[in-house]
Amino acid sequence: MHGAGLALIFLPWLGAESRAPRGDREADPLIAEMVGALTLERSPGRSFSPDELSLCGHLSTVEVAEGLTVMEGAVSNNIPGIDADCGGACACSTCHVYIAEDWVEKLPAKEAMEADMLDFAWEPDPVRSRLTCQIKVTDELDGLVVEVADNES
């Protein structure tokens, strides 16, 4: 795909409840609807009002060139919470995110170094936590949805 970037969707930190199993998150209909619309349909037909978005922070959709990492795309688009202190060397966990449930199986498996570094991340989820410096953007990841972790804690 030359000239056009692939869409990546970043959700702000929504708190520990957002990492709960889908059934538990459905207690908050707005979060369930936002995540459901983004991860299941990825339909531009559903828009959220400014009031709805302000309840959950704001989400950012950015275009990233194929071959870059998700971290590089986040940093170049000034996504809050992706500090990337090590510059992508997998030597810190400041690019830690939670992958949307529907995307977990679509990503390549974690390498041992990433898994070890995630031990230092704040509240890692054994299934959904990933370091964005280790995820290369490909056509298959167009529309990837991630929740930025609270990397400030």
Side-chain angles (χ1 to χ4, degrees):
M1 191 175 240
H2 295 296
L6 302 168
L8 301 179
I9 302 166
F10 292 87
L11 292 168
W13 169 245
L14 299 173
E17 305 78 41
S18 67
R19 292 191 322 279
R22 183 173 300 274
D24 294 344
R25 277 188 293 163
E26 288 172 355
D28 184 331
L30 177 59
I31 291 175
E33 184 180 359
M34 288 178 76
V35 172
L38 292 172
T39 61
L40 297 178
E41 299 170 18
R42 295 189 317 179
S43 169
R46 169 63 167 112
S47 60
F48 297 94
S49 74
D51 290 338
E52 288 174 320
L53 292 177
S54 68
L55 288 174
C56 292
H58 79 278
L59 41 105
S60 303
T61 302
V62 300
E63 289 192 8
V64 179
E66 185 172 3
L68 294 178
T69 64
V70 173
M71 180 212 72
E72 291 168 318
V75 169
S76 67
N77 285 282
N78 300 310
I79 299 295
I82 304 290
D83 296 335
D85 289 346
C86 72
C90 199
C92 72
S93 60
T94 61
C95 68
H96 173 220
V97 297
Y98 303 104
I99 303 298
E101 289 175 12
D102 297 337
W103 284 94
V104 170
E105 296 297 321
K106 297 175 186 175
L107 295 178
K110 294 174 198 164
E111 302 256 341
M113 191 161 79
E114 178 183 6
D116 289 344
M117 195 51 56
L118 282 167
D119 289 339
F120 299 100
W122 188 77
E123 292 192 9
D125 179 293
V127 174
R128 295 183 54 220
S129 286
R130 292 298 301 262
L131 298 179
T132 58
C133 66
Q134 300 302 298
I135 304 170
K136 290 268 189 205
V137 176
T138 64
D139 280 337
E140 293 78 27
L141 297 185
D142 189 20
L144 174 67
V145 179
V146 302
E147 179 186 352
V148 177
D150 184 8
N151 292 318
E152 300 298 314
S153 296

